[in-house]
Amino acid sequence: MTQALREKAKLLNRVRRVRGLIDAIERALDEEKNCPEVLHLIAAARGGINGLMGEVIEDHIREHVVEPTKPAERFEGGEELIEAIQSYLK
């Protein structure tokens, strides 16, 4: 399996775990679970999303900023990263 495919599989597994957490939140709300349980699930989902974002940012930095195939891609990759982080932090 190539590095790109391993990374893709790892990211998709993270997405599936986050989806499972979102489904668990929906079930907990539908079943009127207590607030601490719902908050715990929300925190876990948020952590999962943050982890996914971290992985994608790291991959982007490595591919487009640290080791771009063309020198011009470094600047473009940096700009894309800045925009993504700014939108994420809003």
Side-chain angles (χ1 to χ4, degrees), residues 41-54:
L41 290 168
I42 292 169
R46 182 178 182 188
I49 288 290
N50 287 341
L52 176 62
M53 183 70 165

PDB file of all heavy atoms in Angstrom, residues 41-54:
ATOM      1  N   LEU A  41     -20.121  13.104  24.867  1.00  0.00           N
ATOM      2  CA  LEU A  41     -20.126  12.700  23.461  1.00  0.00           C
ATOM      3  C   LEU A  41     -19.760  13.872  22.547  1.00  0.00           C
ATOM      4  O   LEU A  41     -19.006  13.702  21.574  1.00  0.00           O
ATOM      5  CB  LEU A  41     -21.498  12.137  23.078  1.00  0.00           C
ATOM      6  CG  LEU A  41     -21.854  10.790  23.694  1.00  0.00           C
ATOM      7  CD1 LEU A  41     -23.334  10.483  23.471  1.00  0.00           C
ATOM      8  CD2 LEU A  41     -20.966   9.697  23.119  1.00  0.00           C
ATOM      9  N   ILE A  42     -20.283  15.062  22.862  1.00  0.00           N
ATOM     10  CA  ILE A  42     -19.968  16.248  22.059  1.00  0.00           C
ATOM     11  C   ILE A  42     -18.473  16.555  22.154  1.00  0.00           C
ATOM     12  O   ILE A  42     -17.822  16.850  21.138  1.00  0.00           O
ATOM     13  CB  ILE A  42     -20.821  17.453  22.496  1.00  0.00           C
ATOM     14  CG1 ILE A  42     -22.289  17.214  22.133  1.00  0.00           C
ATOM     15  CG2 ILE A  42     -20.310  18.744  21.846  1.00  0.00           C
ATOM     16  CD1 ILE A  42     -23.243  18.224  22.749  1.00  0.00           C
ATOM     17  N   ALA A  43     -17.916  16.472  23.354  1.00  0.00           N
ATOM     18  CA  ALA A  43     -16.483  16.719  23.533  1.00  0.00           C
ATOM     19  C   ALA A  43     -15.655  15.706  22.742  1.00  0.00           C
ATOM     20  O   ALA A  43     -14.634  16.060  22.135  1.00  0.00           O
ATOM     21  CB  ALA A  43     -16.119  16.680  25.011  1.00  0.00           C
ATOM     22  N   ALA A  44     -16.084  14.461  22.745  1.00  0.00           N
ATOM     23  CA  ALA A  44     -15.371  13.428  21.999  1.00  0.00           C
ATOM     24  C   ALA A  44     -15.427  13.702  20.501  1.00  0.00           C
ATOM     25  O   ALA A  44     -14.429  13.559  19.786  1.00  0.00           O
ATOM     26  CB  ALA A  44     -15.953  12.051  22.315  1.00  0.00           C
ATOM     27  N   ALA A  45     -16.591  14.125  20.001  1.00  0.00           N
ATOM     28  CA  ALA A  45     -16.737  14.439  18.577  1.00  0.00           C
ATOM     29  C   ALA A  45     -15.864  15.636  18.210  1.00  0.00           C
ATOM     30  O   ALA A  45     -15.202  15.639  17.166  1.00  0.00           O
ATOM     31  CB  ALA A  45     -18.201  14.713  18.241  1.00  0.00           C
ATOM     32  N   ARG A  46     -15.858  16.627  19.078  1.00  0.00           N
ATOM     33  CA  ARG A  46     -15.018  17.806  18.833  1.00  0.00           C
ATOM     34  C   ARG A  46     -13.546  17.399  18.788  1.00  0.00           C
ATOM     35  O   ARG A  46     -12.793  17.851  17.928  1.00  0.00           O
ATOM     36  CB  ARG A  46     -15.259  18.846  19.916  1.00  0.00           C
ATOM     37  CG  ARG A  46     -14.473  20.103  19.716  1.00  0.00           C
ATOM     38  CD  ARG A  46     -14.787  21.100  20.793  1.00  0.00           C
ATOM     39  NE  ARG A  46     -14.050  22.320  20.553  1.00  0.00           N
ATOM     40  CZ  ARG A  46     -13.985  23.320  21.386  1.00  0.00           C
ATOM     41  NH1 ARG A  46     -14.648  23.270  22.527  1.00  0.00           N
ATOM     42  NH2 ARG A  46     -13.294  24.389  21.110  1.00  0.00           N
ATOM     43  N   GLY A  47     -13.139  16.558  19.714  1.00  0.00           N
ATOM     44  CA  GLY A  47     -11.762  16.064  19.709  1.00  0.00           C
ATOM     45  C   GLY A  47     -11.443  15.301  18.433  1.00  0.00           C
ATOM     46  O   GLY A  47     -10.352  15.429  17.870  1.00  0.00           O
ATOM     47  N   GLY A  48     -12.405  14.515  17.968  1.00  0.00           N
ATOM     48  CA  GLY A  48     -12.215  13.775  16.725  1.00  0.00           C
ATOM     49  C   GLY A  48     -12.057  14.690  15.528  1.00  0.00           C
ATOM     50  O   GLY A  48     -11.188  14.471  14.675  1.00  0.00           O
ATOM     51  N   ILE A  49     -12.877  15.727  15.468  1.00  0.00           N
ATOM     52  CA  ILE A  49     -12.780  16.706  14.379  1.00  0.00           C
ATOM     53  C   ILE A  49     -11.444  17.435  14.450  1.00  0.00           C
ATOM     54  O   ILE A  49     -10.770  17.641  13.436  1.00  0.00           O
ATOM     55  CB  ILE A  49     -13.956  17.709  14.436  1.00  0.00           C
ATOM     56  CG1 ILE A  49     -15.253  17.038  14.006  1.00  0.00           C
ATOM     57  CG2 ILE A  49     -13.679  18.945  13.579  1.00  0.00           C
ATOM     58  CD1 ILE A  49     -15.338  16.702  12.533  1.00  0.00           C
ATOM     59  N   ASN A  50     -11.035  17.829  15.672  1.00  0.00           N
ATOM     60  CA  ASN A  50      -9.755  18.514  15.826  1.00  0.00           C
ATOM     61  C   ASN A  50      -8.592  17.617  15.396  1.00  0.00           C
ATOM     62  O   ASN A  50      -7.652  18.077  14.756  1.00  0.00           O
ATOM     63  CB  ASN A  50      -9.566  18.983  17.267  1.00  0.00           C
ATOM     64  CG  ASN A  50     -10.441  20.156  17.613  1.00  0.00           C
ATOM     65  OD1 ASN A  50     -10.945  20.859  16.748  1.00  0.00           O
ATOM     66  ND2 ASN A  50     -10.651  20.376  18.903  1.00  0.00           N
ATOM     67  N   GLY A  51      -8.665  16.340  15.736  1.00  0.00           N
ATOM     68  CA  GLY A  51      -7.630  15.399  15.316  1.00  0.00           C
ATOM     69  C   GLY A  51      -7.581  15.247  13.808  1.00  0.00           C
ATOM     70  O   GLY A  51      -6.501  15.208  13.211  1.00  0.00           O
ATOM     71  N   LEU A  52      -8.750  15.164  13.190  1.00  0.00           N
ATOM     72  CA  LEU A  52      -8.825  15.071  11.731  1.00  0.00           C
ATOM     73  C   LEU A  52      -8.228  16.320  11.091  1.00  0.00           C
ATOM     74  O   LEU A  52      -7.432  16.234  10.152  1.00  0.00           O
ATOM     75  CB  LEU A  52     -10.279  14.879  11.299  1.00  0.00           C
ATOM     76  CG  LEU A  52     -10.556  14.856   9.800  1.00  0.00           C
ATOM     77  CD1 LEU A  52      -9.846  13.693   9.125  1.00  0.00           C
ATOM     78  CD2 LEU A  52     -12.059  14.781   9.564  1.00  0.00           C
ATOM     79  N   MET A  53      -8.592  17.486  11.612  1.00  0.00           N
ATOM     80  CA  MET A  53      -8.061  18.738  11.088  1.00  0.00           C
ATOM     81  C   MET A  53      -6.544  18.767  11.229  1.00  0.00           C
ATOM     82  O   MET A  53      -5.841  19.158  10.300  1.00  0.00           O
ATOM     83  CB  MET A  53      -8.695  19.921  11.834  1.00  0.00           C
ATOM     84  CG  MET A  53      -8.269  21.268  11.327  1.00  0.00           C
ATOM     85  SD  MET A  53      -8.952  21.564   9.702  1.00  0.00           S
ATOM     86  CE  MET A  53      -8.707  23.311   9.561  1.00  0.00           C
ATOM     87  N   GLY A  54      -6.035  18.335  12.359  1.00  0.00           N
ATOM     88  CA  GLY A  54      -4.596  18.298  12.569  1.00  0.00           C
ATOM     89  C   GLY A  54      -3.877  17.412  11.565  1.00  0.00           C
ATOM     90  O   GLY A  54      -2.823  17.778  11.033  1.00  0.00           O
TER      91      GLY A  54
END
